[in-house]
Amino acid sequence: MEKVVLAFSGGLDTSVCVKLLQEKYNMEVITACVDVGQPKDEIERPAQVAKEIGVKKHYTIDAKHEFAEEFIFRAIKANAMYEGYPLSTSLARPLIAMKIVEIAEKEGADAIAHGCTGKGNDQFRFESTIRSGSLCSIIAPVRDLSLTRTEEMDYAKENSIPLPSDKLYSIDENVWGRSIEGDILEDPMVETPEEAFEWTVSTENAPHKAQYLAITFNDGVPVAIDGKKMGALEIIIECNRIAGLHGIGRIDIIENRIIGLKSRENYETPGAILIITAHKALEQLTLTREELKFVETISQTYSEIVYNGLWHEPLREDLDCIIDNMQKRVTGVVKLKLHKGSIRTLGRESPFSLYSEEAVSFEDKEMDQREIAGMVKNYGLQAACYQRVCKKD
Ligand code: ARG
């Protein structure tokens, strides 16, 4: 019997996959759940379900710290956002796939399987990572059989596959954010019901009193809140908690998927919005005009690479090198005010600040204003020429 390692979440798609791989593909199934900060029951349930449906070996891999340090922190330094989405799901996929490859190697498996459908982005992200790290064949049972959600439900019922009962929407959650799709949300004109949200309160229910806080950055990544030092994972969790409390980080967009489909996506990413807002504020203080312009370009390319599942593309590593070098000066403190869904930057300071209060001051006598006259005189030379030439016509 051939051996297959399945990336297993215990949800509908992957649960159906277990049975399909056993019955239709006639394989020995090993399941693995990679913990990137899902809720506790989403880590415990797969182990239980795996047992119930006759899986002999199940792995639970804790990759939360690695996710925070090696993936989320890179995304923060790059201000990574795709069409307004902080890439929570996208960033986790290569890490999950890498862990599955490790298990497949250890188990001497013949194949790796995933539960992605043929319409989504994750099939690209999983498969490109797997192919970068392994020669195993890849099986995608749901896509292979072109199953619809209803067909999957029927198959699950027929085969007494246990399903999470209370899930109305398709939800993907990790420490960087929560994605909510499906059901009535597929109608882009339907307002997302309050019950879909778990990490954030509505602006109406957010506290009337504003919260002031200071985030300290070191080399482009957050290291302390209000002076209290924290590790990568801890600070992300804390930022989610604080910003969520003030109704920050709800995102409702029409997103362009890799295959070109437009999809309606809801996200809750309070920590990501808070941290990236503060990070950008510190960059304004410490990077030059030229760097800031380039940072926008890098951010756009970096985000597309991540979204498109090309984590192992060398350009991503090249960009990380430039980013790391620039971020050495993105060190300092940002003061913020959170109130009813809004974040305001109140202040920023850094030992690498390029801002000079003396130079910009109206009271300054150091810079002789007359010296600038020459610089101003020929400014807009081409525009002036153009206007003259056109008037002559
Ligand atoms: N559209 C996002 C992405 O491709 C999130 C998908 C999340 N999936 C879900 N079942 N909610 O990264």
Side-chain angles (χ1 to χ4, degrees):
M1 228 188 198
E2 289 199 3
K3 247 194 213 178
V4 59
V5 178
L6 169 70
F8 188 54
S9 69
L12 175 64
D13 294 326
T14 58
S15 298
V16 162
C17 281
V18 174
K19 264 276 171 311
L20 286 173
L21 289 165
Q22 289 168 334
E23 313 276 300
K24 287 215 161 53
Y25 293 75
N26 209 15
M27 297 180 102
E28 180 193 335
V29 183
I30 295 167
T31 49
C33 173
V34 182
D35 182 356
V36 281
Q38 302 88 313
K40 207 164 152 248
D41 72 296
E42 280 185 35
I43 303 301
E44 286 166 359
R45 215 184 140 266
Q48 212 180 297
V49 173
K51 211 184 264 171
E52 279 173 47
I53 44 184
V55 171
K56 294 221 180 65
K57 201 162 187 184
H58 174 82
Y59 284 85
T60 305
I61 309 287
D62 183 354
K64 290 193 290 289
H65 288 278
E66 194 175 344
F67 185 43
E69 285 153 24
E70 297 298 325
F71 290 78
I72 298 174
F73 267 17
R74 288 188 197 284
I76 292 170
K77 287 192 264 189
N79 298 320
M81 287 264 200
Y82 175 85
E83 298 181 351
Y85 150 53
L87 295 164
S88 42
T89 297
S90 332
L91 274 168
R93 295 320 189 215
L95 177 58
I96 294 172
M98 281 152 69
K99 296 295 170 198
I100 301 292
V101 166
E102 274 174 36
I103 296 170
E105 237 164 59
K106 194 172 143 206
E107 290 286 342
D110 305 281
I112 289 174
H114 62 75
C116 303
T117 69
K119 288 191 177 179
N121 294 324
D122 288 340
Q123 52 183 335
F124 292 90
R125 299 168 182 153
F126 278 131
E127 294 197 21
S128 73
T129 306
I130 295 166
R131 291 203 172 87
S132 298
S134 164
L135 294 171
C136 270
S137 54
I138 300 174
I139 311 173
V142 176
R143 186 183 63 196
D144 273 3
L145 300 164
S146 201
L147 296 177
T148 63
R149 219 178 150 75
T150 312
E151 285 167 344
E152 286 185 62
M153 289 284 207
D154 292 343
Y155 182 82
K157 265 181 222 139
E158 280 161 30
N159 290 278
S160 5
I161 296 170
L163 293 175
S165 50
D166 53 343
K167 284 265 162 77
L168 188 53
Y169 308 110
S170 166
I171 291 171
D172 180 67
E173 189 169 324
N174 65 49
V175 75
W176 199 224
R178 199 167 166 266
S179 319
I180 315 147
E181 307 179 306
D183 200 60
I184 53 165
L185 306 178
E186 283 176 2
D187 177 348
M189 197 56 179
V190 164
E191 181 182 345
T192 306
E194 199 46 43
E195 88 230 352
F197 301 108
E198 279 184 12
W199 288 18
T200 55
V201 299
S202 64
T203 19
E204 291 88 339
N205 288 328
H208 290 291
K209 199 163 170 272
Q211 179 169 352
Y212 292 80
L213 88 167
I215 304 184
T216 307
F217 285 84
N218 192 15
D219 294 350
V221 295
V223 292
I225 297 178
D226 290 332
K228 186 171 176 268
K229 278 208 156 86
M230 288 178 219
L233 182 63
E234 196 191 348
I235 205 162
I236 293 161
I237 293 172
E238 186 59 2
C239 284
N240 277 327
R241 191 190 65 78
I242 297 173
L245 210 70
H246 291 278
I248 288 157
R250 286 190 182 181
I251 299 164
D252 181 340
I253 53 170
I254 300 296
E255 179 178 302
N256 292 292
R257 286 196 194 153
I258 299 171
I259 62 166
L261 272 178
K262 282 191 186 292
S263 66
R264 196 270 185 92
E265 300 282 345
N266 274 273
Y267 299 104
E268 287 185 283
T269 57
I273 298 300
L274 173 61
I275 295 169
I276 291 177
T277 303
H279 180 253
K280 283 186 172 175
L282 197 55
E283 284 188 331
Q284 289 178 340
L285 187 71
T286 54
L287 301 184
T288 65
R289 172 166 57 189
E290 296 309 314
E291 284 179 310
L292 285 167
K293 259 198 288 180
F294 198 54
V295 154
E296 291 280 333
T297 310
I298 294 177
S299 178
Q300 170 92 17
T301 306
Y302 199 93
S303 307
E304 277 169 23
I305 288 175
V306 172
Y307 187 84
N308 293 340
L310 297 174
W311 185 257
H312 291 87
E313 156 69 45
L315 182 58
R316 198 267 306 161
E317 294 179 10
D318 299 332
L319 293 179
D320 271 329
C321 289
I322 307 179
I323 291 169
D324 283 343
N325 197 49
M326 281 185 177
Q327 295 291 315
K328 280 182 204 152
R329 285 176 287 129
V330 186
T331 288
V333 182
V334 182
K335 251 189 342 192
L336 305 133
K337 179 179 175 179
L338 315 186
H339 186 229
K340 287 207 172 278
S342 84
I343 308 180
R344 271 181 56 207
T345 302
L346 301 182
R348 63 298 267 163
E349 66 180 11
S350 166
F352 300 102
S353 171
L354 301 178
Y355 177 86
S356 160
E357 206 173 326
E358 298 85 60
V360 81
S361 167
F362 289 113
E363 302 306 327
D364 173 55
K365 262 294 187 198
E366 188 81 13
M367 184 192 277
D368 187 339
Q369 293 183 41
R370 283 164 293 202
E371 284 171 4
I372 305 296
M375 191 172 167
V376 177
K377 194 171 171 192
N378 292 305
Y379 188 74
L381 181 66
Q382 297 190 342
C385 281
Y386 161 79
Q387 291 298 340
R388 246 171 265 133
V389 168
C390 287
K391 259 188 202 147
K392 228 193 331 200
D393 277 355

